[in-house]
């Protein structure tokens, strides 16, 4: 696995970021450890977690600390903290995880937005200590503001993050699910104050494009505006989450059942799926592998966060690193539109 630049930090990270969201909840300890071991053995070092993963799995048995806890235990047991570039996030943890479910364990999804902790200085101060403790480390390499906070002043959030950088608890800061103008405004504040500035933005990004006006709630897809911004601002790297849209590319039934499918289901998606299927067949690869390869070929660089529910899926997805796409093949994929 190659190493690629993270913005203009001078630091190189693996071209694939391993998604650890379901580790410790949906993914058991043995499988998670094996996946982490294989990733590092393959030359990977970039791990992605958050301080809220993954409270929504199951019927209330998880609180959202499981992923960080598992990664922390793995780092301690393997004694390899210095070989890993560790990213975690603050802001999307729930104030009270018990309040969000009914007696049967069903989540009140319409109330989640009010339950987030968001990004006040007080939340950040406490959250970083909790994350460091769970991760069993003295520093976080990349610390994300997980969701935008339209109530707390951006100055307050950035000042709190700057303090963590000064204290050595955090090396670099980043944001996720931010609109482009909010990213730019934050960068302006950082520049004016001489504070640490966001070096990456983590958005949902895959080969299929959402329908115009698609509303993902608090989550945001990388849109044309952001992609254009990033082409002119290479200090910020796009980290792509949910690159396989939960694994819907091969299976129509799964696609139909995907909760966000109505936001993608369009003539444009139909053409893109058909184009993807044809090229995947020609190349003798799966559509999932081709989507990941397409992401890996984007310039400026996009770093996909690859996740899997089994070791077979993990191995399958990592094979996308072997796919070389020609300019002509990229043009076919890029120009597919309704
Ligand atoms: N910043 C944010 O707000 C945010 C949001 C979401 C995720 N993330 C990060 O991004 C990472 C990836 O997100 P994601 O889990 O949503 O990614 P994804 O790529 O959209 O979905 C992964 C899921 O797709 C299915 N899958 C994976 N490989 C497959 C294959 N080869 N064939 C068939 N199905 C396959 C599996 O689901 P099945 O169990 O159905 O097989 C797997 O759990 C997370 O771990 C997390 O670190 C960040």
């Amino acid at each position: 696995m190659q190493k690629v630049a993270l913005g203009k930090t001078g630091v190189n990270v693996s071209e694939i970021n391993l998604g650890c969201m379901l580790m410790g909840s949906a993914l058991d300890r043995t499988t998670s450890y094996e996946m982490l071991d294989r990733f590092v053995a393959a030359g990977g070092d970039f791990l992605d977690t958050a301080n809220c993963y993954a409270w929504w799995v199951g019927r209330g048995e998880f609180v959202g600390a499981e992923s960080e806890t598992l990664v922390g235990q793995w780092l301690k047991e393997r004694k390899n903290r210095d070989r890993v570039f560790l990213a975690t996030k603050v802001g999307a943890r729930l104030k009270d995880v018990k309040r969000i479910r009914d007696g049967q364990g069903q989540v009140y999804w319409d109330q989640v937005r009010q339950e987030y902790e968001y990004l006040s200085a007080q939340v950040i101060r406490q959250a970083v200590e909790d994350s460091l403790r769970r991760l069993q480390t003295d520093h976080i390499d990349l610390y994300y503001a997980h969701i935008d906070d339209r109530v707390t002043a951006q100055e307050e959030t950035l000042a709190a993050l700057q303090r963590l950088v000064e204290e050595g608890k955090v090396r670099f800061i980043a944001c996720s699910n931010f609109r482009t103008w909010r990213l730019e405004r934050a960068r302006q504040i950082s520049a004016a104050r001489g504070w640490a500035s966001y070096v990456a933005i983590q958005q949902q990004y895959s080969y299929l494009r959402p329908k115009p006006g698609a509303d993902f709630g608090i989550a945001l897809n990388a849109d044309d505006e952001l992609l254009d911004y990033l082409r002119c601002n290479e200090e910020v790297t796009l980290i792509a989450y949910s690159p396989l849209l939960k694994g819907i590319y091969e299976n129509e039934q799964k696609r139909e059942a995907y909760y966000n499918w109505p936001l993608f289901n369009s003539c444009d998606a139909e053409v893109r799926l058909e184009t993807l299927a044809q090229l995947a067949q020609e190349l003798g690869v799966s559509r999932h592998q081709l989507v990941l390869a397409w992401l890996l070929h984007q310039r400026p660089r996009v770093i996909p966060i690859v996740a899997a529910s089994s070791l077979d899926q993990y191995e399958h997805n990592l094979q996308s690193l072997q796919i070389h796409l020609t300019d002509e093949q990229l043009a076919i994929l890029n120009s597919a539109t309704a």
Side-chain angles (χ1 to χ4, degrees):
M1 207 174 315
Q2 280 183 51
K3 292 276 163 60
V4 299
L6 181 72
K8 291 194 174 160
T9 58
V11 170
N12 291 335
V13 295
S14 54
E15 60 189 318
I16 282 184
N17 190 178
L18 184 65
C20 303
M21 183 168 78
L22 299 181
M23 294 184 179
S25 56
L27 269 187
D28 66 27
R29 188 174 181 275
T30 309
T31 311
S32 305
Y33 269 43
E34 182 64 26
M35 206 176 284
L36 287 160
D37 286 342
R38 289 190 193 185
F39 182 66
V40 170
D45 66 355
F46 193 3
L47 302 184
D48 187 78
T49 183
N51 70 345
C52 60
Y53 291 164
W55 65 261
W56 57 90
V57 172
R59 291 289 170 121
E61 56 272 46
F62 303 113
V63 296
E66 291 76 12
S67 169
E68 283 191 339
T69 302
L70 184 138
V71 171
Q73 288 167 348
W74 175 81
L75 287 168
K76 188 171 185 212
E77 284 178 37
R78 298 295 187 260
K79 299 187 176 58
N80 62 358
R81 175 65 189 92
D82 56 339
R83 290 184 51 201
V84 164
F85 190 85
L86 188 55
T88 192
K89 315 186 190 82
V90 55
R93 195 172 167 84
L94 302 188
K95 285 179 248 171
D96 182 354
V97 77
K98 291 195 197 81
R99 213 160 47 198
I100 207 69
R101 291 181 190 266
D102 66 15
Q104 277 71 52
Q106 296 292 338
V107 175
Y108 298 119
W109 283 108
D110 58 333
Q111 291 174 28
V112 171
R113 208 182 254 254
Q114 293 96 277
E115 283 295 321
Y116 288 131
E117 288 186 340
Y118 291 103
L119 299 169
S120 68
Q122 198 188 355
V123 163
I124 291 171
R125 284 277 354 136
Q126 184 59 50
V128 77
E129 297 304 330
D130 293 342
S131 286
L132 289 170
R133 179 176 36 79
R134 284 192 287 265
L135 290 164
Q136 307 201 41
T137 182
D138 61 357
H139 72 282
I140 292 159
D141 294 299
L142 188 63
Y143 200 38
Y144 286 95
H146 198 160
I147 49 176
D148 197 3
D149 178 345
R150 297 293 179 97
V151 174
T152 305
Q154 282 191 307
E155 280 84 353
E156 177 177 332
T157 300
L158 289 163
L161 293 172
Q162 165 66 14
R163 230 179 114 191
L164 302 185
V165 172
E166 284 166 10
E167 290 170 355
K169 291 177 177 167
V170 164
R171 286 177 70 198
F172 302 106
I173 62 168
C175 61
S176 180
N177 302 303
F178 271 44
R179 298 248 174 226
T180 310
W181 74 268
R182 296 281 291 171
L183 164 65
E184 171 57 16
R185 184 165 292 179
R187 293 187 66 220
Q188 293 286 347
I189 294 167
S190 295
R193 304 274 207 276
W195 291 343
S197 188
Y198 293 141
V199 301
I201 181 161
Q202 189 178 128
Q203 310 284 91
Q204 176 176 273
Y205 189 46
S206 185
Y207 179 60
L208 289 189
R209 298 179 286 212
K211 294 197 279 197
D215 182 2
F216 293 91
I218 205 85
L220 285 178
N221 202 79
D223 57 12
D224 287 346
E225 172 96 16
L226 180 65
L227 297 175
D228 183 49
Y229 178 85
L230 296 174
R231 273 191 286 274
C232 302
N233 291 276
E234 293 201 6
E235 302 82 3
V236 185
T237 298
L238 175 59
I239 314 287
Y241 75 72
S242 301
L244 299 180
L245 299 177
K246 308 294 178 190
I248 62 162
Y249 282 95
E250 300 282 348
N251 181 325
E252 198 175 333
Q253 264 178 341
K254 200 172 172 187
R255 203 147 58 227
E256 296 293 337
Y258 173 41
Y259 54 91
N260 273 341
W261 182 237
L263 302 177
F264 287 93
N265 190 3
S266 64
C267 299
D268 188 69
E270 214 174 293
V271 173
R272 288 208 148 207
L273 283 171
E274 184 52 37
T275 307
L276 189 74
Q278 272 180 21
L279 187 59
Q281 198 177 18
E282 270 172 43
L283 294 172
V285 301
S286 78
R287 294 170 216 180
H288 287 132
Q289 288 169 331
L290 186 52
V291 169
L292 294 176
W294 175 80
L295 281 166
L296 288 164
H297 279 74
Q298 298 304 303
R299 297 294 179 274
R301 275 265 175 200
V302 173
I303 302 179
I305 313 183
V306 176
S309 294
S310 66
L311 292 170
D312 283 350
Q313 281 182 0
Y314 166 83
E315 291 296 344
H316 184 88
N317 296 344
L318 266 268
Q319 281 166 22
S320 59
L321 288 167
Q322 313 308 325
I323 302 172
H324 174 73
L325 297 175
T326 63
D327 289 347
E328 197 190 345
Q329 289 161 341
L330 284 167
I332 291 170
L333 290 171
N334 291 336
S335 62
T337 187

